[in-house]
């Protein structure tokens, strides 16, 4: 056994020198030494407390065992003792662990009560899990909610090893969640299709996103910075490709960002009332396609988890049936109702793109007004 | 001599029609080993894909099929049937019974297994692929969003459940009715005790699993909404039902392993088990607690804080009887006269690694900390320490320990020791680093990962290949022993072994204990 330990230790050495290989839970403290969240620090301390208790007990048990293996072997000519059963010892090793457990349960209970203290939040954000992206909706007292989707930003080329992987490979999104520093933020967490789980290790928030139910969680982040996480509940083929990216910024920056978001939403609405050129629609459509369609339908519309779009009877057939699939989804399949996820302009753009890209070349141009009139039926 | 004193029938019909507990035990053991290799092959695909970041060998959807089938095949195909095989071989010989109480049902409970797994494996070839929703098959991923092959999966689970229930009823009936005169409950070997308790757990929870998959079937095909909020159901209900089965299932797997270790450590320490009675009570306590801790698998689903606290406290309590077990084994070794043949090596390996798995289990029971551990590789590391270093190591120890009794031939000891060390080292290289990546934030069940997890994942994959390869050595050693191993002349085989099975010739005749043995005054545990 000692041999195995020594060998394993040698195998670990070259890795231990590499600081990139984090071996423990996030401490809740940033590299600069600032506390990220009080709760994160508390959970880390609890984790280490239990860990060290286990280490001490383990050293005791394994120490006795190893000594016994060393000293009480037949090859040393020892005669086996025949003792068995000792009420005192047996009661002791039942009672003592019980008290150790009470010592663990006390701090665990107080930390858990804090995790569940969702009161007095200063702002609320509705987090919705979709296959395979997150939607963030800032709930506004005046009803002017700001909502957007947050998709994986890592390119397919990086994933399929034809391009160098970036520093934040698989942990980067096109539009991060932005929250103000030192503000108690309440997350309302749910899902649109299957169960997901929203997790950011450094701010110590993980809660399942369950379709039809709304869970609550909260955080108060004390250090500005970028924090990354991932979906942690198996949610289908691309479960590994729906990261969470949270930017914690100053109050002022947050207000500016929020104003810009509201402005952009208004601009989008204005855009929906105008006619766009084919080139504009195609460019916009390609972006939408890459963010929302590519994972299932392939980079060249060749299909995959979903049907092929190149040469497809739907993409090259009647416009209404094409819009029906995009806007309403296909029940019982992974094809979602994108009418609720994308703006009318984006639906128009991606429909135009699908009808003209990948050699489909139908020449059809779809405007936002077409989408609106389709939706109105 | 009546005409029931016959030997086995010849050819295939011997195996198809057999009602002999030794034949059926042998079939269970070979079947489970075949499933172990199949489940292992799936694991090798997983580890090969995870060798480096980026998608290399398989597509994400297929990767999920591999993780799902790996779990299902290992739990239901390899570990559970292997212990049923061990029970078939050993329980009648340990309690002085001529056979199992219900021999025809015994035949049936084995023979429905191969078709069930054939059906499960055939889903790989179906349109839409095999089940890809994880071995825990959470709804609605396993209902509304499942591939069409889910229906075959449901029927396979039904059949496995029927097989397990029949096997358990048989074990309960055998232990309660077939003990030799004088073999009182408190004289039974611990392996028999742990299996008796396991059989009750199985009878209690397999119907719950059958209920869960039947509700899935209804949701998928008959328009019900047990697990869909849109129709008034609840996806979390599925998890409650699943884990009400699933947590006792964990003990169904590990309790017989405890029994095996409780036979082997005293044998090679040449000293009686320290606390026989407290081991029996600890086993019963663990079995009872297993029914009231299920929701510790679901700390993050948003249970009310009171529920969360209840399940946390109840789960922590399991550390007490489990501690009693570990302390007992160590105290049994203390001041014994130990030798370290392969079965003992695997038992000590079990003791060390299972204890580590127990510690991480205690860490996971702490609800607020579990918010960070849940569904990460830390959990994967934890349950492989318990399932592989626990159940599989103990099963391996059992094979080496009883193989000379069953076959009358000895395995190659040097090769056995090499198998142990390669397994032990390979196992730890595979799973120890998974604690690190899990704590550092790597979710489980992902086909590709962020760059900071790369080094440890590569290590893990190398360890997995080593551990996997070492099982081929095991297979070779067993076959070589059966075909050409050195003949065993002694009935006891191991000088420290105690129990009725060691009073029989090696190998034992086809039928044993047709006349009940005389039980000595001293318990033979």
């Amino acid at each position: 056994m000692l041999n195995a330990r020594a060998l394993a230790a040698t195998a670990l050495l070259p890795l231990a020198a590499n600081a990139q290989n984090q071996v423990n839970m996030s401490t809740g403290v940033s590299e600069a030494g600032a506390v990220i969240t009080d709760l994160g620090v508390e959970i880390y301390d609890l984790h280490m407390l239990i860990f060290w208790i286990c280490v001490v007990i383990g050293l005791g048990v394994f120490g006795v065992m190893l000594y016994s293996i060393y000293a009480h072997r037949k090859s040393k000519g020892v005669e086996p003792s025949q003792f068995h059963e000792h009420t005192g010892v047996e009661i002791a090793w039942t009672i003592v662990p019980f008290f150790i457990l009470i010592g663990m349960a006390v701090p665990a209970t107080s930390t858990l009560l804090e995790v569940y203290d969702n009161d007095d939040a200063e702002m609320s954000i509705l987090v919705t899990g979709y296959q395979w992206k997150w939607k963030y909706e800032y709930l506004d007292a005046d009803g002017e909610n700001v909502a957007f989707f947050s998709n994986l930003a890592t390119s397919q080329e990086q994933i399929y090893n034809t391009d160098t992987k970036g520093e934040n490979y698989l942990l980067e999104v096109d539009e991060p969640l932005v929250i103000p520093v030192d503000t108690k933020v309440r997350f309302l967490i749910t899902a649109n299709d299957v169960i997901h789980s929203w997790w950011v290790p450094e701010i110590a928030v993980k809660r399942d996103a369950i379709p039809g139910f709304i869970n609550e969680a909260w955080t108060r982040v004390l250090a500005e910075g970028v924090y990354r996480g991932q979906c942690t509940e198996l949610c289908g083929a691309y479960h590994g490709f729906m990261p969470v990216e949270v930017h914690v910024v100053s109050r002022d920056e947050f207000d500016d960002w929020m104003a810009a978001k509201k402005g952009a939403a208004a601009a989008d609405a204005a855009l929906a009332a105008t006619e766009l050129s084919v080139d504009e629609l195609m460019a916009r459509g390609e972006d939408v396609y890459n963010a929302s369609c590519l994972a299932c339908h392939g980079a060249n519309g060749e299909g995959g988890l979903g049907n092929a779009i190149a040469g497809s009877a739907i993409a090259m057939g009647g416009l209404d049936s094409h819009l029906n699939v995009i806007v309403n989804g296909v029940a019982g399949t992974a094809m979602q109702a994108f009418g609720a996820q994308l703006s009318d302009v984006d639906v128009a753009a991606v429909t135009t793109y699908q009808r003209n890209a990948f050699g489909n070349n139908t020449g059809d141009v779809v405007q936002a007004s077409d989408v609106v009139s389709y939706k109105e039926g | 001599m009546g005409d029931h004193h016959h030997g086995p029938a010849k050819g295939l019909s011997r195996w198809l029609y057999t009602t002999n507990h030794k034949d059926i035990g042998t079939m269970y053991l070979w079947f489970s080993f075949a499933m172990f290799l199949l489940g292992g092959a799936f694991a090798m695909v997983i580890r090969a894909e995870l060798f480096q970041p980026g998608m290399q060998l398989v597509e994400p959807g297929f990767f999920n099929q591999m993780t799902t089938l790996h779990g299902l095949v290992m739990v239901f195909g390899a570990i559970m049937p292997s212990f049923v095989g061990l029970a078939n071989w050993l329980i009648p010989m340990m309690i002085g019974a001529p056979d199992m109480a219900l021999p025809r049902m015994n035949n049936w409970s084995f023979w429905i297994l191969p078709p069930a797994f054939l059906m499960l494996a055939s889903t790989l070839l179906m349109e839409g692929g095999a089940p890809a929703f994880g071995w825990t098959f959470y709804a609605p991923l396993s209902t509304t969003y499942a591939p069409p092959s889910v229906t075959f999966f449901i029927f396979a689970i039904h059949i496995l459940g029927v097989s397990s229930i029949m096997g358990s009823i048989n074990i309960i009936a055998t232990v309660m009715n077939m003990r030799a005169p004088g073999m009182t409950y408190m004289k039974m070997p611990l392996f028999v005790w742990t299996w008796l308790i396991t059989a009750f757990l199985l009878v209690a929870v397999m119907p719950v699993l059958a209920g869960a998959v039947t509700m899935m079937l209804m949701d998928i095909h008959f328009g019900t909404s047990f697990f869909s909020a849109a129709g008034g159901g609840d996806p979390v209900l599925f998890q409650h039902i699943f884990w009400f089965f699933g947590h006792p299932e964990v003990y169904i797997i590990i309790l017989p392993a405890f029994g095996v270790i409780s036979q082997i450590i005293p044998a090679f320490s040449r000293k009686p088990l320290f606390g026989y009675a407290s081991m029996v009570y600890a086993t019963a306590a663990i079995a009872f607690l297993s029914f009231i801790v299920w929701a510790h698998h679901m700390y993050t689903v948003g249970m009310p804080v009171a529920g969360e606290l209840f399940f946390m406290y109840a789960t922590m309590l399991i550390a007490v009887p489990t501690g009693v077990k570990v302390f007992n084994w160590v105290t049994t070794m203390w001041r014994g006269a130990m030798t370290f043949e392969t079965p003992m090596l695997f038992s000590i390996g079990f003791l060390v690694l299972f204890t580590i798995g127990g510690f991480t289990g205690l860490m996971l029971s702490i609800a607020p900390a579990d918010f960070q551990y849940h569904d990460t590789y830390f959990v994967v590391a934890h349950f492989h320490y318990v399932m592989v270093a626990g159940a599989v190591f103990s099963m391996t120890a059992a094979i080496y320990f009883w193989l000379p009794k069953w076959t009358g031939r000895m395995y190659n000891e040097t090769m056995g020791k090499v198998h142990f060390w390669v397994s032990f080292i390979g196992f730890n290289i595979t799973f120890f680093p998974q604690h690190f990546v899990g704590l550092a934030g790597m979710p489980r069940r992902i086909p590709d990962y962020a760059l900071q997890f790369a080094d440890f994942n590569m290590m893990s994959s190398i360890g997995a290949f080593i551990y996997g390869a070492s099982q081929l050595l095991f297979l070779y050693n067993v076959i070589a022993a059966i075909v050409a191993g050195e003949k065993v002349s002694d009935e006891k085989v191991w000088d420290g072994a105690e129990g009725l099975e060691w009073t029989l010739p090696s190998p034992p005749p086809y039928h044993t204990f047709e006349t009940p043995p005389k039980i000595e005054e001293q318990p033979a545990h």
Side-chain angles (χ1 to χ4, degrees), chain B residues 373-408:
Chain B
Y373 308 137
H374 180 79
D375 262 338
T376 67
Y377 259 87
F378 189 75
V379 178
V380 177
H382 158 72
F383 70 70
H384 281 93
Y385 267 75
V386 180
M387 294 286 122
V388 181
V392 177
F393 270 35
S394 120
M395 191 62 216
T396 314
I399 298 290
Y400 281 117
F401 188 54
W402 280 292
L403 188 72
K405 167 55 63 190
W406 297 335
T407 62

Side-chain angles (χ1 to χ4, degrees), chain A residues 42-237:
Chain A
E42 216 172 298
I43 289 175
Y44 173 77
D45 289 345
L46 183 64
H47 154 74
M48 290 312 286
L49 170 76
I50 313 289
F51 171 74
W52 285 116
I53 292 174
C54 289
V55 167
V56 170
I57 298 172
L59 287 177
V61 172
F62 296 150
V64 171
M65 195 190 76
L66 286 175
Y67 176 78
S68 190
I69 289 173
Y70 164 74
H72 306 143
R73 42 173 72 211
K74 198 184 173 202
S75 57
K76 293 200 166 184
V78 294
E79 276 302 306
S81 157
Q82 291 301 310
F83 75 84
H84 61 98
E85 295 191 357
H86 185 289
T87 313
V89 170
E90 292 179 73
I91 289 177
W93 71 34
T94 310
I95 300 286
V96 172
F98 186 77
F99 283 102
I100 297 174
L101 290 178
I102 292 177
M104 295 176 177
V106 171
T109 304
S110 76
T111 305
L112 187 66
L113 293 175
E114 278 180 58
V115 170
Y116 270 78
D117 179 15
N118 294 305
D119 295 343
D120 306 320
E122 293 155 69
M123 61 184 288
S124 295
I125 300 173
L126 178 65
V127 177
T128 311
Y130 286 73
Q131 280 182 327
W132 291 277
K133 57 198 161 225
W134 295 99
K135 180 188 182 189
Y136 300 116
E137 183 164 6
Y138 292 71
L139 305 181
D140 184 284
D142 306 325
E144 278 190 72
N145 290 357
V146 165
F148 56 90
F149 281 85
S150 181
N151 295 285
L152 176 73
T154 303
S155 70
Q156 293 290 306
E157 289 74 25
Q158 287 188 32
I159 294 171
Y160 285 92
N161 310 307
T162 53
D163 193 1
T164 317
K165 294 177 172 46
E167 189 193 351
N168 296 311
Y169 177 68
L170 296 186
L171 299 177
E172 54 202 345
V173 299
D174 54 358
E175 279 200 75
L177 178 72
V178 179
I179 57 172
V181 73
D182 198 10
T183 305
K184 185 162 182 176
V185 180
R186 183 175 65 144
F187 299 108
L188 299 168
I189 301 175
T190 187
N192 179 61
D193 33 52
V194 299
I195 301 177
H196 304 267
S197 190
W198 195 81
W199 184 34
V200 183
E202 283 171 299
I203 64 173
V205 174
K206 181 188 288 156
R207 197 68 91 252
D208 290 357
I210 298 166
F213 292 83
I214 296 176
N215 274 328
E216 272 184 304
W218 68 274
T219 190
R220 178 191 290 275
V221 186
L222 303 174
E224 291 177 27
V226 177
Y227 305 104
R228 298 170 194 277
Q230 286 179 271
C231 175
T232 51
E233 180 63 62
L234 178 63
C235 56

Side-chain angles (χ1 to χ4, degrees), chain B residues 16-37:
Chain B
L16 274 177
Y17 304 143
T18 185
T19 54
N20 180 288
H21 73 102
K22 300 182 183 75
D23 282 353
I24 293 171
T26 303
M27 289 195 295
Y28 264 112
L29 290 171
W30 278 114
F31 175 75
S32 61
F33 195 79
M35 289 296 112
F36 183 58
L37 293 183

Side-chain angles (χ1 to χ4, degrees), chain B residues 341-360:
Chain B
E341 288 87 345
T342 310
M344 184 63 164
L345 289 179
F346 271 100
S347 298
I348 294 173
F350 164 96
L351 189 48
V352 173
L353 301 178
F354 173 79
T355 304
I356 293 175
F359 286 140
T360 50

